[in-house]
PDB file of all heavy atoms in Angstrom:
ATOM      1  N   ASN A   2      42.599 -11.072   6.869  1.00  0.00           N
ATOM      2  CA  ASN A   2      44.074 -10.494   6.927  1.00  0.00           C
ATOM      3  C   ASN A   2      44.034  -9.051   6.497  1.00  0.00           C
ATOM      4  O   ASN A   2      43.107  -8.412   6.183  1.00  0.00           O
ATOM      5  CB  ASN A   2      44.886 -11.393   6.122  1.00  0.00           C
ATOM      6  CG  ASN A   2      44.468 -11.394   4.657  1.00  0.00           C
ATOM      7  OD1 ASN A   2      44.011 -10.427   4.191  1.00  0.00           O
ATOM      8  ND2 ASN A   2      44.759 -12.344   3.850  1.00  0.00           N
ATOM      9  N   ARG A   8      41.752  -3.985   1.094  1.00  0.00           N
ATOM     10  CA  ARG A   8      40.869  -4.318  -0.095  1.00  0.00           C
ATOM     11  C   ARG A   8      39.430  -3.630   0.172  1.00  0.00           C
ATOM     12  O   ARG A   8      38.894  -2.864  -0.573  1.00  0.00           O
ATOM     13  CB  ARG A   8      40.684  -5.769  -0.390  1.00  0.00           C
ATOM     14  CG  ARG A   8      39.739  -6.161  -1.631  1.00  0.00           C
ATOM     15  CD  ARG A   8      39.231  -7.483  -1.518  1.00  0.00           C
ATOM     16  NE  ARG A   8      38.659  -7.857  -0.137  1.00  0.00           N
ATOM     17  CZ  ARG A   8      38.483  -9.072   0.421  1.00  0.00           C
ATOM     18  NH1 ARG A   8      39.069 -10.109  -0.274  1.00  0.00           N
ATOM     19  NH2 ARG A   8      37.986  -9.245   1.524  1.00  0.00           N
ATOM     20  N   ALA A  22      36.274   1.490 -11.810  1.00  0.00           N
ATOM     21  CA  ALA A  22      37.365   0.491 -11.685  1.00  0.00           C
ATOM     22  C   ALA A  22      37.024  -0.881 -12.304  1.00  0.00           C
ATOM     23  O   ALA A  22      35.798  -1.266 -12.293  1.00  0.00           O
ATOM     24  CB  ALA A  22      37.705   0.228 -10.247  1.00  0.00           C
ATOM     25  N   ASP A  31      52.946 -10.828   3.148  1.00  0.00           N
ATOM     26  CA  ASP A  31      52.676 -12.106   2.646  1.00  0.00           C
ATOM     27  C   ASP A  31      51.086 -12.307   2.182  1.00  0.00           C
ATOM     28  O   ASP A  31      50.826 -13.259   1.517  1.00  0.00           O
ATOM     29  CB  ASP A  31      53.113 -13.262   3.396  1.00  0.00           C
ATOM     30  CG  ASP A  31      54.582 -13.236   3.734  1.00  0.00           C
ATOM     31  OD1 ASP A  31      55.375 -12.884   2.824  1.00  0.00           O
ATOM     32  OD2 ASP A  31      55.029 -13.497   4.965  1.00  0.00           O
ATOM     33  N   ASP A  41      38.275 -10.199 -15.382  1.00  0.00           N
ATOM     34  CA  ASP A  41      39.633  -9.776 -15.399  1.00  0.00           C
ATOM     35  C   ASP A  41      40.252 -10.171 -16.828  1.00  0.00           C
ATOM     36  O   ASP A  41      41.074 -11.149 -16.933  1.00  0.00           O
ATOM     37  CB  ASP A  41      40.378 -10.356 -14.295  1.00  0.00           C
ATOM     38  CG  ASP A  41      41.898  -9.761 -14.047  1.00  0.00           C
ATOM     39  OD1 ASP A  41      42.128  -8.568 -14.534  1.00  0.00           O
ATOM     40  OD2 ASP A  41      42.663 -10.462 -13.477  1.00  0.00           O
ATOM     41  N   ARG A  44      43.535  -5.874 -20.903  1.00  0.00           N
ATOM     42  CA  ARG A  44      43.336  -4.529 -21.327  1.00  0.00           C
ATOM     43  C   ARG A  44      44.693  -3.684 -21.570  1.00  0.00           C
ATOM     44  O   ARG A  44      45.623  -4.019 -20.914  1.00  0.00           O
ATOM     45  CB  ARG A  44      42.287  -3.718 -20.275  1.00  0.00           C
ATOM     46  CG  ARG A  44      40.995  -4.399 -20.064  1.00  0.00           C
ATOM     47  CD  ARG A  44      40.107  -3.634 -19.089  1.00  0.00           C
ATOM     48  NE  ARG A  44      38.910  -4.058 -18.910  1.00  0.00           N
ATOM     49  CZ  ARG A  44      38.518  -5.103 -18.172  1.00  0.00           C
ATOM     50  NH1 ARG A  44      39.406  -5.610 -17.370  1.00  0.00           N
ATOM     51  NH2 ARG A  44      37.326  -5.555 -18.151  1.00  0.00           N
ATOM     52  N   GLY A  59      66.986  -2.471 -17.892  1.00  0.00           N
ATOM     53  CA  GLY A  59      67.763  -2.875 -16.715  1.00  0.00           C
ATOM     54  C   GLY A  59      68.351  -4.279 -16.735  1.00  0.00           C
ATOM     55  O   GLY A  59      69.489  -4.518 -16.500  1.00  0.00           O
ATOM     56  N   VAL A  73      72.133   7.706 -27.136  1.00  0.00           N
ATOM     57  CA  VAL A  73      71.162   7.013 -27.960  1.00  0.00           C
ATOM     58  C   VAL A  73      71.705   6.904 -29.412  1.00  0.00           C
ATOM     59  O   VAL A  73      71.414   5.889 -30.081  1.00  0.00           O
ATOM     60  CB  VAL A  73      69.889   7.576 -27.945  1.00  0.00           C
ATOM     61  CG1 VAL A  73      69.838   8.919 -28.475  1.00  0.00           C
ATOM     62  CG2 VAL A  73      68.821   6.573 -28.496  1.00  0.00           C
ATOM     63  N   ALA A  88      74.087  14.322 -27.270  1.00  0.00           N
ATOM     64  CA  ALA A  88      74.390  14.084 -25.796  1.00  0.00           C
ATOM     65  C   ALA A  88      73.271  13.433 -25.125  1.00  0.00           C
ATOM     66  O   ALA A  88      73.327  13.151 -23.886  1.00  0.00           O
ATOM     67  CB  ALA A  88      74.563  15.514 -25.182  1.00  0.00           C
ATOM     68  N   THR A 137      59.589   6.949 -24.813  1.00  0.00           N
ATOM     69  CA  THR A 137      59.867   5.583 -24.458  1.00  0.00           C
ATOM     70  C   THR A 137      59.906   4.733 -25.731  1.00  0.00           C
ATOM     71  O   THR A 137      60.612   3.618 -25.795  1.00  0.00           O
ATOM     72  CB  THR A 137      58.638   5.155 -23.597  1.00  0.00           C
ATOM     73  OG1 THR A 137      58.625   5.894 -22.507  1.00  0.00           O
ATOM     74  CG2 THR A 137      58.910   3.622 -23.073  1.00  0.00           C
ATOM     75  N   TYR A 138      59.078   4.922 -26.763  1.00  0.00           N
ATOM     76  CA  TYR A 138      59.202   4.322 -27.960  1.00  0.00           C
ATOM     77  C   TYR A 138      60.625   4.267 -28.631  1.00  0.00           C
ATOM     78  O   TYR A 138      61.116   3.186 -28.922  1.00  0.00           O
ATOM     79  CB  TYR A 138      58.282   4.825 -28.893  1.00  0.00           C
ATOM     80  CG  TYR A 138      58.372   4.276 -30.393  1.00  0.00           C
ATOM     81  CD1 TYR A 138      57.749   3.128 -30.771  1.00  0.00           C
ATOM     82  CD2 TYR A 138      59.222   5.021 -31.448  1.00  0.00           C
ATOM     83  CE1 TYR A 138      57.921   2.603 -32.105  1.00  0.00           C
ATOM     84  CE2 TYR A 138      59.276   4.434 -32.697  1.00  0.00           C
ATOM     85  CZ  TYR A 138      58.626   3.358 -32.933  1.00  0.00           C
ATOM     86  OH  TYR A 138      58.899   2.917 -34.338  1.00  0.00           O
ATOM     87  N   ALA A 140      63.453   4.737 -26.923  1.00  0.00           N
ATOM     88  CA  ALA A 140      64.266   3.959 -26.055  1.00  0.00           C
ATOM     89  C   ALA A 140      64.138   2.435 -26.476  1.00  0.00           C
ATOM     90  O   ALA A 140      65.087   1.701 -26.365  1.00  0.00           O
ATOM     91  CB  ALA A 140      63.908   4.194 -24.657  1.00  0.00           C
ATOM     92  N   GLY A 152      59.281  -7.135 -27.635  1.00  0.00           N
ATOM     93  CA  GLY A 152      58.228  -8.021 -27.090  1.00  0.00           C
ATOM     94  C   GLY A 152      58.797  -9.394 -26.726  1.00  0.00           C
ATOM     95  O   GLY A 152      58.387  -9.931 -25.746  1.00  0.00           O
ATOM     96  N   LEU A 159      61.391 -11.526 -18.679  1.00  0.00           N
ATOM     97  CA  LEU A 159      60.604 -10.838 -17.537  1.00  0.00           C
ATOM     98  C   LEU A 159      59.283 -11.584 -17.558  1.00  0.00           C
ATOM     99  O   LEU A 159      58.942 -12.121 -16.350  1.00  0.00           O
ATOM    100  CB  LEU A 159      60.326  -9.414 -17.836  1.00  0.00           C
ATOM    101  CG  LEU A 159      59.542  -8.638 -16.784  1.00  0.00           C
ATOM    102  CD1 LEU A 159      60.464  -8.639 -15.555  1.00  0.00           C
ATOM    103  CD2 LEU A 159      59.212  -7.322 -17.256  1.00  0.00           C
ATOM    104  N   TYR A 177      57.739  -2.535 -34.607  1.00  0.00           N
ATOM    105  CA  TYR A 177      58.275  -2.349 -33.201  1.00  0.00           C
ATOM    106  C   TYR A 177      57.175  -2.067 -32.189  1.00  0.00           C
ATOM    107  O   TYR A 177      56.062  -1.439 -32.455  1.00  0.00           O
ATOM    108  CB  TYR A 177      59.217  -1.224 -33.329  1.00  0.00           C
ATOM    109  CG  TYR A 177      60.436  -1.358 -34.153  1.00  0.00           C
ATOM    110  CD1 TYR A 177      60.452  -0.702 -35.406  1.00  0.00           C
ATOM    111  CD2 TYR A 177      61.488  -1.979 -33.703  1.00  0.00           C
ATOM    112  CE1 TYR A 177      61.565  -0.792 -36.224  1.00  0.00           C
ATOM    113  CE2 TYR A 177      62.634  -2.200 -34.558  1.00  0.00           C
ATOM    114  CZ  TYR A 177      62.657  -1.556 -35.831  1.00  0.00           C
ATOM    115  OH  TYR A 177      63.706  -1.672 -36.641  1.00  0.00           O
ATOM    116  N   ILE A 194      53.832  -7.671 -11.550  1.00  0.00           N
ATOM    117  CA  ILE A 194      54.901  -6.681 -11.755  1.00  0.00           C
ATOM    118  C   ILE A 194      55.104  -5.848 -10.553  1.00  0.00           C
ATOM    119  O   ILE A 194      56.025  -5.562 -10.118  1.00  0.00           O
ATOM    120  CB  ILE A 194      54.576  -5.811 -13.011  1.00  0.00           C
ATOM    121  CG1 ILE A 194      54.501  -6.753 -14.286  1.00  0.00           C
ATOM    122  CG2 ILE A 194      55.526  -4.596 -13.204  1.00  0.00           C
ATOM    123  CD1 ILE A 194      53.891  -6.058 -15.488  1.00  0.00           C
ATOM    124  N   VAL A 215      65.510  -1.197  -9.871  1.00  0.00           N
ATOM    125  CA  VAL A 215      64.177  -0.963  -9.305  1.00  0.00           C
ATOM    126  C   VAL A 215      64.301   0.261  -8.376  1.00  0.00           C
ATOM    127  O   VAL A 215      63.367   1.129  -8.426  1.00  0.00           O
ATOM    128  CB  VAL A 215      63.657  -2.214  -8.640  1.00  0.00           C
ATOM    129  CG1 VAL A 215      62.369  -1.890  -7.850  1.00  0.00           C
ATOM    130  CG2 VAL A 215      63.471  -3.263  -9.547  1.00  0.00           C
ATOM    131  N   VAL A 224      62.556  16.847 -11.295  1.00  0.00           N
ATOM    132  CA  VAL A 224      61.361  17.753 -11.181  1.00  0.00           C
ATOM    133  C   VAL A 224      60.586  17.803 -12.508  1.00  0.00           C
ATOM    134  O   VAL A 224      61.000  18.043 -13.540  1.00  0.00           O
ATOM    135  CB  VAL A 224      61.711  19.260 -11.006  1.00  0.00           C
ATOM    136  CG1 VAL A 224      60.506  20.085 -10.981  1.00  0.00           C
ATOM    137  CG2 VAL A 224      62.495  19.312  -9.638  1.00  0.00           C
ATOM    138  N   GLY A 226      57.153  19.034 -12.653  1.00  0.00           N
ATOM    139  CA  GLY A 226      56.168  20.088 -12.893  1.00  0.00           C
ATOM    140  C   GLY A 226      55.755  20.615 -11.455  1.00  0.00           C
ATOM    141  O   GLY A 226      56.305  20.211 -10.341  1.00  0.00           O
ATOM    142  N   THR A 267      47.200  -2.637  -6.674  1.00  0.00           N
ATOM    143  CA  THR A 267      47.161  -2.431  -8.244  1.00  0.00           C
ATOM    144  C   THR A 267      45.662  -2.337  -8.658  1.00  0.00           C
ATOM    145  O   THR A 267      44.836  -3.012  -8.123  1.00  0.00           O
ATOM    146  CB  THR A 267      47.666  -3.896  -8.748  1.00  0.00           C
ATOM    147  OG1 THR A 267      48.951  -4.043  -8.387  1.00  0.00           O
ATOM    148  CG2 THR A 267      47.597  -3.880 -10.290  1.00  0.00           C
ATOM    149  N   HIS A 273      39.772   8.314 -16.231  1.00  0.00           N
ATOM    150  CA  HIS A 273      40.930   9.227 -16.219  1.00  0.00           C
ATOM    151  C   HIS A 273      40.861  10.363 -15.266  1.00  0.00           C
ATOM    152  O   HIS A 273      41.698  10.584 -14.438  1.00  0.00           O
ATOM    153  CB  HIS A 273      41.133   9.787 -17.579  1.00  0.00           C
ATOM    154  CG  HIS A 273      42.597  10.294 -17.838  1.00  0.00           C
ATOM    155  ND1 HIS A 273      43.627   9.576 -17.851  1.00  0.00           N
ATOM    156  CD2 HIS A 273      43.038  11.703 -17.973  1.00  0.00           C
ATOM    157  CE1 HIS A 273      44.746  10.293 -18.127  1.00  0.00           C
ATOM    158  NE2 HIS A 273      44.296  11.541 -18.134  1.00  0.00           N
ATOM    159  N   ARG A 285      45.802   7.194   1.827  1.00  0.00           N
ATOM    160  CA  ARG A 285      45.387   7.376   3.116  1.00  0.00           C
ATOM    161  C   ARG A 285      44.960   6.171   3.815  1.00  0.00           C
ATOM    162  O   ARG A 285      45.311   5.896   4.949  1.00  0.00           O
ATOM    163  CB  ARG A 285      44.023   8.230   2.990  1.00  0.00           C
ATOM    164  CG  ARG A 285      44.360   9.750   2.567  1.00  0.00           C
ATOM    165  CD  ARG A 285      43.045  10.520   2.813  1.00  0.00           C
ATOM    166  NE  ARG A 285      41.930  10.173   2.000  1.00  0.00           N
ATOM    167  CZ  ARG A 285      41.642  10.670   0.749  1.00  0.00           C
ATOM    168  NH1 ARG A 285      42.579  11.489   0.191  1.00  0.00           N
ATOM    169  NH2 ARG A 285      40.673  10.253   0.150  1.00  0.00           N
TER     170      ARG A 285
END
Side-chain angles (χ1 to χ4, degrees):
N2 62 31
R8 175 202 58 203
D31 297 317
D41 194 18
R44 299 179 174 89
V73 70
T137 307
Y138 170 83
L159 182 66
Y177 296 100
I194 297 169
V215 177
V224 175
T267 302
H273 199 68
R285 291 193 296 270

